[in-house]
Amino acid sequence: MATPRNASTRSASYGAPPVERDLTPGASQESAISVHTLTTAAKDLVEGAFPPLWVRGEVSDFKAHRNGHWYFSLRDANAQMKCVVWSTQTRRIPASPDDGMQVLVRGQMTVWPVRGDLQFSVAAIEAEGDGLWRKALELTQRRLEADGLLDPARKRALPRYPRRIAVITSPDGAALHDIVKVARGRSPDVEVVIVPAKVQGDGAPEELVAMIERVGRWMDADLLIIGRGGGAREDLWAFNDERVARALAMCPIPTISGVGHEVDITICDLVADVRAATPSAAAELAIPARREMIAHVDALRGRLVTALARKRERSLGMLTLVRRRLGTAAVRVTERRRARLDATTGRLDALSPLATLERGYAVARGPDGATLRKRSQFATGEGFDLWVSDGVVRATTASTRVHPDGDGDRDLPKERA
Amino acid sequence: MSFEKSVSRLEEIVRELDRDDLDLDRALALFEEGIAHLRSANSALVQAEARVQLLVEAADGTFSLTDFGGQA
C-alpha cells in the first residue's frame, strides 16, 4: 500500500486535486496495480468460482505443439473457449481429438496470466461414440498393418505339447488363477512360469513390454500367454498399446493373448499368433488335456502295430509265393530227370545178358573168365563154367562135334555136373 | 526325451512303416524304436503334474525359477 506521504507527493507532482484519495488498490491512479496482479487475481477468482467440470462442445483449431501440449477451441453455436491439454495429461488420453469432433472435456476453468486468456485446462476428453478410443485403435492398427505385423502369414503354429509355458499377467489377478486352474485340471507334464507384470494403470505398457522382452531373452519357454481378466475398457487399454503389440509381435516364441472377456478384442489379440477369448481359454488352447494325450499315444500304438503286421503279412505273402514257384520249378526238374533215367533203364534192361539167360540160354566161360564161343576153345576132359539164369554150373567137356544141321562138327557137347 | 519329441518320432516311424519299399529288417528295427518311444511317452504321462514357478531375472541377466507361492 502506498503511504499517504508518497501519494500526496505523487499527486502534487501531477497536479491532481488534492482531495479525498481512495487508496484501495486500483481504485485510483495512485493505487494502480500491475497487469500481473490483476490477471493473477482473476485466475484465483475463476478457479475458486468453478470446480472441475465436464463441458460439452465441438473441437476446432486443434494443434499439437512440439512441446507435447495440445491446444484447441471448444465451441458451440454461440460461444467458444480456449482449451489446453498439458503434455502430462495427453498421455492419459487415447488419441488426440479431431476438428469438428463432438466431445466432453473435463477440466478446470482458469486464466492464463501470460496471455490474459480465459482458458480451460483439460484433464480428460471423451468423444461421442467412443470416438477417441476408436481412433486410437485404428491408428495403431494402421501402423502395425503397414509394418506387416497383422499379416495372417506371420501366425505361428502352437507347439502341440509345450513343456514350459510363460504367463505374463498380474500376479494377483483372476487371470493367473484361471490359467493355473486349467493347467492343474489338464495336468500333463507342463511347467507354468509366471512372469508378473502390472497390467493396468500408469506404467503398465512399459512393464508389459519389459516382461515380453524378458521372456524372449530367457528363450526357455515353448509358448507365451499374455493376458488379464475382464475389466473396464480403460483397464484393458495397456493391451492396445502399440509398444506392447510390437514387443509381442517380435517375441521369438509363439504367443497366445487372452484379454478380458469374449467381447473384448485388443490390439494384442490381433498381433498374437492365437487369440483366446479369455485367459482360461488361452490355457486350454496351450495345454492339451492328459486324456487327449493318452488317446493320441494309444492311437499311435495301434498304428505302429498295424503297420508292422501289415509289413509282415506282405513279406510272408511274398515268401509263400516264392516258395511255391521254387517248389514247382524243383518238381519239374526232378520229373525231367526221372523220365530220362527210366528211359535209360529200359535200354539197359534190353541189353542185359541176364534177360537172355532167362530165356533158356547159357554162357560157357573158361577158367580165365573168357566166354567160350567156339568148339576149338573146349578141350575134352577139361572143366568150364556154364552160366545160367540163376547161377553157375561146373561142367567138363566130354567131346565136341559140329551142329547136327551145320557144316562143322556133328558132335554135340556133353555136359557133366 | 520329451513327450513332444517321442510323439513326433513315433509319427515318423509309423509313416515310414507304411511305405511299400521298406525291407523287413528295417521295419523291425523301426518297430522296436517305436516301442521305446511309446514307453517313454507313456511314462511322461504317468508322472505328469503341472508345476507353477516364477521367473526371476538377476541383475547380471541370468534367469532362475522359484516356486510360485501365490494364490494359485
Side-chain angles (χ1 to χ4, degrees):
Chain A
M1 288 297 125
T3 63
R5 199 174 76 87
N6 274 349
S8 74
T9 311
R10 194 173 291 167
S11 60
S13 71
Y14 285 102
V19 290
E20 292 304 311
R21 304 243 153 75
D22 187 344
L23 299 178
T24 312
S28 66
Q29 291 175 3
E30 284 73 13
S31 62
I33 57 170
S34 72
V35 176
H36 179 257
T37 305
L38 180 58
T39 50
T40 304
K43 176 180 188 286
D44 291 344
L45 201 65
V46 168
E47 286 183 0
F50 298 105
L53 297 167
W54 280 104
V55 184
R56 182 196 314 277
E58 185 191 313
V59 174
S60 70
D61 302 325
F62 178 88
K63 276 189 194 72
H65 196 274
R66 258 193 326 223
N67 56 22
H69 312 315
W70 293 347
Y71 301 97
F72 60 95
S73 291
L74 196 65
R75 68 183 182 193
D76 56 27
N78 303 311
Q80 62 174 304
M81 65 174 185
K82 296 194 166 178
C83 297
V84 60
V85 191
W86 304 117
S87 60
T88 48
Q89 302 298 324
T90 56
R91 280 191 279 124
R92 298 171 193 275
I93 298 168
S96 59
D98 297 329
D99 285 350
M101 220 177 229
Q102 290 294 327
V103 295
L104 294 165
V105 297
R106 186 171 191 278
Q108 174 68 55
M109 191 56 136
T110 182
V111 170
W112 191 35
V114 178
R115 283 189 186 266
D117 285 348
L118 196 64
Q119 156 174 295
F120 196 69
S121 174
V122 177
I125 308 177
E126 287 289 341
E128 273 177 16
D130 287 341
L132 291 185
W133 301 92
R134 271 215 317 275
K135 183 184 169 189
L137 282 180
E138 281 165 16
L139 283 176
T140 306
Q141 200 169 335
R142 216 172 298 152
R143 280 192 295 265
L144 295 173
E145 207 151 28
D147 289 345
L149 300 184
L150 303 184
D151 187 351
R154 287 189 81 250
K155 305 279 182 211
R156 290 166 290 195
L158 301 181
R160 247 185 331 172
Y161 300 111
R163 182 183 44 91
R164 210 174 239 179
I165 299 172
V167 177
I168 297 181
T169 192
S170 164
D172 44 30
L176 177 57
H177 179 258
D178 291 349
I179 288 168
V180 168
K181 195 171 138 197
V182 169
R184 295 234 158 101
R186 313 199 120 205
S187 78
D189 193 12
V190 74
E191 216 168 83
V192 176
V193 178
I194 311 299
V195 188
K198 195 175 173 188
V199 295
Q200 69 187 64
D202 281 345
E206 289 83 352
E207 260 195 41
L208 287 172
V209 168
M211 292 306 114
I212 292 168
E213 288 173 353
R214 175 175 290 184
V215 169
R217 277 197 306 279
W218 183 35
M219 277 304 286
D220 211 2
D222 305 317
L223 183 66
L224 168 64
I225 294 178
I226 183 166
R228 56 153 294 144
R233 183 187 46 200
E234 290 81 348
D235 295 340
L236 307 185
W237 198 250
F239 293 88
N240 286 321
D241 190 284
E242 188 171 338
R243 291 163 294 170
V244 177
R246 284 184 185 276
L248 197 60
M250 291 305 126
C251 187
I253 56 172
T255 55
I256 306 181
S257 74
V259 179
H261 301 303
E262 279 177 51
V263 291
D264 303 316
I265 296 188
T266 64
I267 296 285
C268 277
D269 289 332
L270 303 179
V271 169
D273 293 311
V274 171
R275 184 233 165 191
T278 62
S280 294
E284 278 162 17
L285 283 172
I287 307 168
R290 193 213 296 246
R291 61 177 146 56
E292 285 165 20
M293 295 166 82
I294 292 174
H296 189 49
V297 170
D298 281 351
L300 279 171
R301 175 185 293 115
R303 285 176 61 195
L304 186 68
V305 169
T306 314
L308 186 75
R310 208 170 27 236
K311 162 94 344 207
R312 198 157 54 189
E313 239 163 59
R314 265 202 306 268
S315 300
L316 276 178
M318 249 158 61
L319 193 63
T320 310
L321 200 69
V322 166
R323 188 182 289 151
R324 195 174 304 144
R325 270 199 213 135
L326 190 67
T328 316
V331 164
R332 251 201 315 272
V333 166
T334 317
E335 275 172 357
R336 236 178 357 244
R337 294 244 163 99
R338 168 155 308 135
R340 229 162 68 199
L341 186 64
D342 287 352
T344 314
T345 311
R347 272 194 12 239
L348 260 178
D349 278 351
L351 291 173
S352 166
L354 289 173
T356 312
L357 300 186
E358 283 293 343
R359 293 207 301 276
Y361 291 89
V363 178
R365 303 179 86 187
D368 56 354
T371 303
L372 306 176
R373 287 191 178 80
K374 302 276 185 192
R375 211 160 31 121
S376 59
Q377 288 176 290
F378 293 88
T380 304
E382 288 211 345
F384 63 93
D385 289 337
L386 202 59
W387 288 57
V388 295
S389 68
D390 61 343
V392 179
V393 179
R394 188 75 193 151
T396 307
T397 307
S399 63
T400 66
R401 57 182 165 91
V402 296
H403 289 304
D405 51 351
D407 298 323
D409 284 337
R410 296 242 150 227
D411 303 358
L412 278 174
K414 278 214 174 132
E415 291 164 24
R416 250 188 355 217
Chain B
M1 177 171 280
S2 76
F3 183 81
E4 164 103 55
K5 274 189 187 144
S6 291
V7 165
S8 299
R9 181 65 191 132
L10 260 171
E11 283 167 342
E12 273 172 33
I13 288 172
V14 168
R15 266 198 304 278
E16 203 176 339
L17 274 176
D18 273 338
R19 276 174 32 199
D20 279 336
D21 56 349
L22 192 70
D23 65 49
L24 195 59
D25 273 356
R26 175 85 183 121
L28 280 169
L30 282 173
F31 181 77
E32 263 171 38
E33 194 197 335
I35 292 294
H37 286 298
L38 270 177
R39 204 167 291 144
S40 113
N42 268 322
S43 68
L45 281 171
V46 170
Q47 297 158 0
E49 196 198 330
R51 285 180 307 278
V52 181
Q53 313 222 69
L54 196 69
L55 180 64
V56 181
E57 185 177 18
D60 63 358
T62 56
F63 291 95
S64 58
L65 294 173
T66 62
D67 274 344
F68 181 71
Q71 39 128 14

